[in-house]
Amino acid sequence: MDRCVVLVDAGYLLGAAASLLAGEPARSRITVDHAALIQGLRERAEADTEQPLLRIYWFDGAPDRVPQPEHRRLRVMPRVTVRLGALTRSDGRWAQKGVDAAMHAELTELARNRACSDVVLVTGDGDLLPGLMSAKEHGVAVHLWAVQAADGDYNQSEDLVAEADERRVLDRIWITKAVRAKELGGICAPSPVPRPEIAAILSAPLPESGQSGGGERDGSAAPVEPPAEDSPESRSAKGVVPTPKDLAALRAPGAQPSAPQPQPTGATLRWSSDKGWVERPGSGTAGEPPETASLPTLAQLTSAEQRWADREEDITTVGGDPFEVGQVFARRWMERLPETGHVQKLSVMYPRVPHRIDGELLRYAARFGLLAHKDDQIDEHDRYAIRAGFWREIDVRADAEVPSGG
């Protein structure tokens, strides 16, 4: 068949691009316009091989082989097929497993079935040498593409370079059409400034701290023992975002078990969950507060047709940025509410999201690979960004409805 196929080792392509543009191979250091990158690969392949494109195969690793946001966007693009291997953590570093084997199998199968006349390989791994040689034996022309090396040296196996029929280098100019380095804090670059909405939530005052827990009853300053190294008081003093468990411990000293603990005047929670401060005694009311119990969830407001359309939008349009995910969820929820009074009822509860809606919001975010373990710790900043995006959309809608209501 007179057509070409492109096999892309995403780990090599994006890792080498990060080294070239950001000085280190961490893909977190770059931002990728995948649509532009795929279009660039297609145009370059058809120009180099002088054959029409059959398909681009995108090989990458993912934790538990679960597609990440970029994979979800890529696999619905025309002429793109995504193949995922495992992404495992070993000795503090992430490593792909099964990607090379999948590329080898695809390459040999395409050549054996004469599905194409030309194969473009974007990789540097010498493990593909047997597959490359097998493809040549079946009469397929093999084009090997490299990413310009940051140090001017090879970043590919010399054996691959020697066996390839043609070789091209994707230089900095070509790479920067679809990839750019992120501006991170450093010697010459300022520290990244968080979104104002996230900063507002993070800077909100805490419910009772260890210093206000009872030292002003008689106007005298009682001696305070230094907190334990990993106590809730110590975590709060260090600026660590407290968990509901931490605040429960802060409120425990001197509290009467039989007496409900009122929320301190002017205190605002820094996370969005009813469980952080609402008393739930075993003999009392265990349900939600009356003002939130009537708020419907997005699932209750969504028809089967809308659910299908939502998934289509998630795959093709939503980028997966935490702030954006929160906005999309809030927009859908508000658009489907049967009465606008629900928006006003929710807006006065800022920054606390009712527990049922908050749980649904975080489950929705999990579809995009957010809230996953990063370096063995939950990324709390993503949670705040998701909720900040949610509140921004709520605020915009609530503000827009105030004039019309008056």
Side-chain angles (χ1 to χ4, degrees):
M1 284 287 186
D2 293 334
R3 51 193 181 183
C4 67
V5 170
V6 181
L7 305 183
V8 180
D9 179 350
Y12 166 76
L13 173 60
L14 300 183
S19 294
L20 178 64
L21 302 181
E24 58 180 276
R27 289 163 60 171
S28 60
R29 294 292 308 274
I30 57 175
T31 299
V32 183
D33 182 343
H34 290 90
L37 181 58
I38 292 298
Q39 184 62 28
L41 289 170
R42 177 172 186 166
E43 292 175 355
R44 183 69 178 265
E46 291 181 337
D48 280 9
T49 65
E50 299 182 349
Q51 303 294 344
L53 177 75
L54 170 63
R55 191 173 298 116
I56 295 176
Y57 289 90
W58 186 271
F59 296 87
D60 203 1
D64 299 324
R65 302 180 190 268
V66 176
Q68 301 300 295
E70 63 183 273
H71 304 138
R72 296 162 60 88
R73 293 192 294 274
L74 282 164
R75 64 184 184 180
V76 297
M77 293 182 183
R79 303 294 181 113
V80 176
T81 296
V82 176
R83 297 278 190 260
L84 294 180
L87 192 62
T88 60
R89 192 171 179 82
S90 177
D91 297 330
R93 302 183 63 182
W94 291 100
Q96 295 183 157
K97 300 293 183 183
V99 173
D100 295 337
M103 289 190 69
H104 179 276
E106 199 71 57
L107 176 59
T108 54
E109 193 70 13
L110 289 168
R112 184 182 300 112
N113 293 326
R114 301 186 182 277
C116 57
S117 59
D118 296 75
V119 169
V120 175
L121 290 178
V122 186
T123 185
D125 199 328
D127 290 344
L128 277 179
L129 182 62
L132 186 154
M133 297 175 66
S134 175
K136 291 175 61 177
E137 291 172 359
H138 284 89
V140 174
V142 179
H143 304 251
L144 183 65
W145 289 0
V147 175
Q148 178 182 338
D151 56 5
D153 200 356
Y154 283 110
N155 55 12
Q156 288 180 309
S157 163
E158 292 188 11
D159 291 333
L160 280 182
V161 174
E163 284 292 334
D165 296 305
E166 302 283 349
R167 184 171 185 260
R168 296 287 184 271
V169 176
L170 304 177
D171 59 19
R172 180 186 293 268
I173 295 176
W174 190 93
I175 291 293
T176 52
K177 292 178 180 179
V179 183
R180 63 180 178 84
K182 292 181 180 178
E183 296 181 1
L184 300 179
I187 298 176
C188 300
S191 299
V193 178
R195 292 178 183 268
E197 297 82 3
I198 303 175
I201 295 177
L202 291 174
S203 62
L206 297 175
E208 298 178 23
S209 67
Q211 297 179 348
S212 61
E216 298 180 359
R217 293 178 181 176
D218 56 1
S220 61
V224 179
E225 295 183 2
E229 181 64 24
D230 194 35
S231 67
E233 294 87 345
S234 173
R235 289 168 54 81
S236 179
K238 293 178 181 177
V240 178
V241 177
T243 66
K245 181 179 179 181
D246 289 336
L247 288 187
L250 287 174
R251 292 167 55 186
Q256 298 297 326
S258 59
Q261 297 292 324
Q263 184 189 12
T265 303
T268 306
L269 287 183
R270 295 177 69 179
W271 73 92
S272 305
S273 172
D274 292 343
K275 292 185 177 180
W277 63 275
V278 175
E279 293 297 331
R280 299 177 184 272
S283 58
T285 301
E288 290 191 58
E291 65 272 16
T292 64
S294 61
L295 294 178
T297 63
L298 180 60
Q300 293 171 334
L301 300 170
T302 304
S303 65
E305 292 78 8
Q306 288 173 324
R307 189 173 298 109
W308 185 91
D310 289 348
R311 296 292 291 191
E312 185 74 10
E313 182 184 13
D314 290 344
I315 293 172
T316 59
T317 306
V318 182
D321 173 76
F323 191 85
E324 178 192 11
V325 167
Q327 288 182 300
V328 171
F329 182 94
R331 171 176 55 79
R332 292 174 182 170
W333 184 77
M334 289 186 293
E335 288 177 348
R336 297 166 192 175
L337 285 173
E339 54 185 88
T340 58
H342 287 309
V343 176
Q344 293 297 331
K345 185 183 300 184
L346 179 63
S347 64
V348 299
M349 302 173 64
Y350 175 86
R352 182 174 61 88
V353 180
H355 184 60
R356 291 179 301 123
I357 296 177
D358 188 51
E360 189 179 35
L361 169 62
L362 296 183
R363 287 192 296 273
Y364 171 67
R367 297 181 187 175
F368 297 89
L370 302 173
L371 311 179
H373 287 273
K374 297 178 181 179
D375 298 326
D376 300 326
Q377 293 184 355
I378 298 294
D379 191 334
E380 288 295 326
H381 188 273
D382 279 356
R383 294 177 181 266
Y384 288 122
I386 293 163
R387 289 156 176 159
F390 175 89
W391 279 118
R392 168 46 66 95
E393 201 70 16
I394 295 292
D395 289 344
V396 170
R397 177 62 64 92
D399 291 342
E401 291 177 352
V402 168
S404 61

